[in-house]
């Protein structure tokens, strides 16, 4: 770990690593302090509550997802192609980084109750840029007069694909596994909400 990074960032780094390797149940202030090599009280200077720490870790997940989305849509010009790239990244991220994905969408963290005094933006605001991008691309596809509702339904559909695939439900009912089927499900979700792609 880079000892030159500010302590707050180092603590988040440790938290991210714990979430990715051991799941959210392993993320505690004392364990993070131990792994960061600081006193068990040190994290409290930056994270007054366990929720504040988890929110900071989840915010890092949204930043990572946003960077992946940005890289995936770079150079793609059609709104449909950009939406497909976002959808693939979103579902892929959920399957690759399950612990982080689950943390990012925990209701108690997104609700942000009691986080107003941490000096950090509320976690729920971290979801807005991606959703706003979805709305603008859905609108550009000209699929519906209510782009916001269609974007929300598409997001919910993709989130459900990711969760049901991770739980093993979709591979079971489809009698299949592998990225090919995940890609087909993503395409089916896009077709369902935007209409079939022009051939």
């Amino acid at each position: 770990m880079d000892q030159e990074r500010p302590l707050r960032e180092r603590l988040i780094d440790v938290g991210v690593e714990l979430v990715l390797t051991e799941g959210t149940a392993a993320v505690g202030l004392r364990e993070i302090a131990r792994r960061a090599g600081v006193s068990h009280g040190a994290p409290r200077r930056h994270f007054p509550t366990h929720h504040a720490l988890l929110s900071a870790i989840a915010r890092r997940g949204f930043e990572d997802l946003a960077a992946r989305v940005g890289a995936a849509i770079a150079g793609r010009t059609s709104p449909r192609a950009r939406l497909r790239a976002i959808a693939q990244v979103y579902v892929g991220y959920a399957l690759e980084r399950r612990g982080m994905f689950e943390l990012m969408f925990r209701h108690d963290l997104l609700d942000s109750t009691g986080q107003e005094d941490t000096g950090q933006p509320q976690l729920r605001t971290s979801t807005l840029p991606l959703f706003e991008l979805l709305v603008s691309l859905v609108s550009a596809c000209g699929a519906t007069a209510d782009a916001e509702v269609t974007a929300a339904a598409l997001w919910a559909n993709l989130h459900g694909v990711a969760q049901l695939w991770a739980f093993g439900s979709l591979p079971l009912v489809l009698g299949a596994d592998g990225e090919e089927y995940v890609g087909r499900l993503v395409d089916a979700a896009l077709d369902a909400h935007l209409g079939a792609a022009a051939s």
Side-chain angles (χ1 to χ4, degrees):
M1 180 184 304
D2 184 357
Q3 296 296 322
E4 298 302 312
R5 280 170 65 76
L7 178 59
R8 185 180 190 280
E9 295 305 307
R10 285 171 38 213
L11 294 169
I12 296 171
D13 291 343
V14 172
V16 168
E17 185 62 27
L18 270 171
V19 168
L20 295 177
T21 58
E22 300 180 34
T24 56
V27 181
L29 291 170
R30 283 181 176 267
E31 180 60 15
I32 285 180
R34 187 185 71 77
R35 293 192 184 207
V38 297
S39 71
H40 70 267
R44 292 278 184 199
R45 293 196 300 269
H46 302 281
F47 306 104
T49 66
H50 190 233
H51 268 57
L53 171 63
L54 291 177
S55 292
I57 295 167
R59 193 172 298 108
R60 184 76 67 79
F62 280 111
E63 291 167 1
D64 182 24
L65 178 59
R68 292 175 186 222
V69 164
I73 64 175
R76 298 176 193 267
T77 55
S78 87
R80 180 76 175 231
R82 290 165 71 90
L83 276 170
R84 186 174 193 278
I86 291 169
Q88 289 176 315
V89 166
Y90 187 84
V91 174
Y93 187 89
L95 298 178
E96 176 192 337
R97 301 171 82 86
R98 285 184 63 184
M100 180 62 77
F101 190 77
E102 290 169 9
L103 183 66
M104 288 161 62
F105 292 99
R106 267 183 47 176
H107 172 74
D108 60 325
L109 300 181
L110 288 170
D111 179 53
S112 302
T113 301
Q115 295 177 35
E116 294 80 4
D117 298 330
T118 64
Q120 297 298 315
Q122 294 180 346
L123 180 61
R124 63 184 168 202
T125 63
S126 300
T127 66
L128 298 179
L130 178 58
F131 182 65
E132 289 165 357
L133 177 59
L134 285 177
V135 172
S136 69
L137 291 173
V138 165
S139 180
C141 285
T144 179
D146 198 341
E148 191 169 77
V149 169
T150 300
L154 175 60
W155 179 17
N157 196 165
L158 295 171
H159 200 89
V161 166
Q163 292 287 60
L164 290 172
W165 193 272
F167 293 156
S169 302
L170 284 175
L172 176 66
V173 299
L174 293 173
D177 57 16
E179 292 181 12
E180 173 199 353
Y181 280 90
V182 174
R184 288 171 63 187
L185 289 166
V186 165
D187 287 339
L190 289 170
D191 288 348
H193 296 287
L194 303 175
S199 55

